[in-house]
Amino acid sequence: MTPKPTLAVVGATGAVGSVMLQMLTHHADVWGEIRLLASPRSAGRKAAVRGEECEILALDEEALEGVDLALFLVPESVAARWAPIAATKGAVVVDTSAAFRADPDVPLVVPETNAHAARVRPRGIVASPGCTTLALVVAVGALHAEFGLSELVVTAQQAASGAGAGQAGVDALRAQLGLVAGHGDLGTHPGDVRRAVGENTGPFPGPLALNVLPWSGTAGADGASSEEERVRDETRRILALPALRVAATCVRVPVVTGHSVSVHARFERPVPLDRAHEILATTPGVVLYDDPAAGDFPTPADVVGTDPAWVGRVRRSMDDERALDFFVCADNLRKGAALNALQIAESVVTYL
């Protein structure tokens, strides 16, 4: 009998790593040894996976020896250094950071949409898109396959735990909520929320409690942010539409976990609304939850902790028979990071 492959989880103690360990416990057990790796300061700690307590090992070259597949759930700088080393040692790397998403020799994969792309890995690395793209692209990709996507306008409402903010973003939001609680008149005068929060903004450019911030990421070209550029570039790569017109605005909102995206998608052909509903209702990885008259539509507070992208408010654009408007929510730590990486790994393992 062929031995089961050895899996390394790099970044096992982080927010996404913790979710990954839960998923490995509940998904089909296709792995042999599961090796948990993290920074030296976490070495020696224990974490549970598959019902067993496993010791955390420091990420170094020795810890990567004999690994068949490595899941990298770490910041971009760590992945950029260590993922090529793991690949050189013979592991297939699945990376959730932005380090390799634009590399033409690294496939960018969403299994429900372009699983085949993971089979060709010139550098031994497969990249997983950002959490906003992942909330969006499964639903958009299914509609594109039927109607031919020509233009995309999206506003992403990103949770505090998203992107580089991570646990620091969650901690900052919770601290700010404590500072504004009990002040019944806050939010009624210019600057009052900012004064109440003071310097406790954490990784954000301003107060997030009782507020929204129309900025996420770092400065890009022509006034765009890096997060907005990534939504465009990643969607183009995954759908193999290099000239797709994409307008994206990323807004940080006072939600702990769960990204939402308001979508205006224009297609090459008219879109019958009943056919759009049928496609979304039968697409793997998508749940259609769409009866607004009854109050049934997805919100981040309702979908957190679940795996699918939830889609609602689906309607044909009032002024364009070729366009659809809809709203999609997904847990940015699950489908937006851990789940997609694990799905890639489980599809790749059949070819190891």
Side-chain angles (χ1 to χ4, degrees):
M1 179 181 294
T2 303
K4 291 182 179 181
T6 295
L7 175 72
V9 180
V10 183
T13 59
V16 178
S18 298
V19 173
M20 180 64 74
L21 300 189
Q22 297 172 19
M23 289 184 170
L24 287 168
T25 299
H26 295 105
H27 274 228
D29 190 5
V30 299
W31 308 104
E33 177 190 358
I34 296 181
R35 203 173 295 176
L36 307 185
L37 310 181
S39 65
R41 67 178 178 273
S42 297
R45 291 168 50 184
K46 297 288 184 73
V49 61
R50 297 189 299 190
E52 299 179 2
E53 291 289 319
C54 298
E55 183 177 349
I56 307 292
L57 305 177
L59 173 59
D60 56 27
E61 292 198 30
E62 182 180 355
L64 293 170
E65 295 287 349
V67 170
D68 297 298
L69 196 143
L71 293 168
F72 272 71
L73 317 172
V74 293
E76 185 174 344
S77 59
V78 179
R81 176 186 176 190
W82 286 100
I85 294 173
T88 299
K89 291 183 174 294
V92 175
V93 172
V94 179
D95 178 40
T96 61
S97 82
F100 305 98
R101 291 175 190 158
D103 190 326
D105 289 328
V106 175
L108 186 66
V109 175
V110 178
E112 294 94 340
T113 306
N114 66 335
H116 62 280
R119 299 185 184 183
V120 181
R121 307 179 294 269
R123 297 190 60 183
I125 301 171
V126 181
S128 182
C131 42
T132 300
T133 305
L134 280 164
L136 164 74
V137 79
V138 178
V140 168
L143 294 166
H144 164 62
E146 178 88 4
F147 303 112
L149 185 65
S150 63
E151 185 176 3
L152 201 55
V153 180
V154 300
T155 299
Q157 295 108 52
Q158 298 178 320
S161 58
Q167 188 60 44
V170 174
D171 292 343
L173 175 58
R174 294 193 188 281
Q176 291 175 26
L177 290 172
L179 291 170
V180 302
H183 298 277
D185 61 343
L186 277 182
T188 61
H189 302 285
D192 59 356
V193 173
R194 188 175 294 273
R195 287 190 293 273
V197 169
E199 297 181 355
N200 300 293
T201 55
F204 308 120
L208 189 58
L210 304 183
N211 199 22
V212 299
L213 298 168
W215 183 257
S216 179
T218 58
D222 299 322
S225 76
S226 58
E227 284 285 301
E228 291 157 354
E229 291 177 337
R230 285 171 182 167
V231 171
R232 178 198 62 188
D233 296 343
E234 293 169 9
T235 303
R236 286 175 169 179
R237 283 201 70 193
I238 295 161
L239 300 181
L241 294 172
L244 179 68
R245 295 189 297 273
V246 179
T249 300
C250 290
V251 181
R252 193 73 69 179
V253 297
V255 170
V256 172
T257 300
H259 285 359
S260 305
V261 188
S262 300
V263 182
H264 175 83
R266 193 169 195 275
F267 299 90
E268 296 171 356
R269 295 178 291 280
V271 182
L273 187 57
D274 56 351
R275 178 58 181 149
H277 275 100
E278 182 181 358
I279 291 169
L280 293 168
T282 56
T283 295
V286 172
V287 172
L288 181 64
Y289 186 58
D290 193 23
D291 186 0
D296 294 338
F297 40 74
T299 74
D302 296 317
V303 311
V304 64
T306 68
D307 288 343
W310 294 71
V311 179
R313 295 299 326 281
V314 183
R315 59 215 187 269
R316 196 155 70 173
S317 176
M318 291 185 286
D319 299 314
D320 189 347
E321 66 176 2
R322 297 188 179 188
L324 279 180
D325 298 314
F326 58 91
F327 189 75
V328 57
C329 290
D331 185 316
N332 53 292
L333 300 180
R334 295 181 74 86
K335 181 54 182 173
L339 177 61
N340 197 71
L342 184 56
Q343 288 175 315
I344 294 171
E346 290 173 342
S347 67
V348 167
V349 73
T350 60
Y351 303 105
L352 292 179

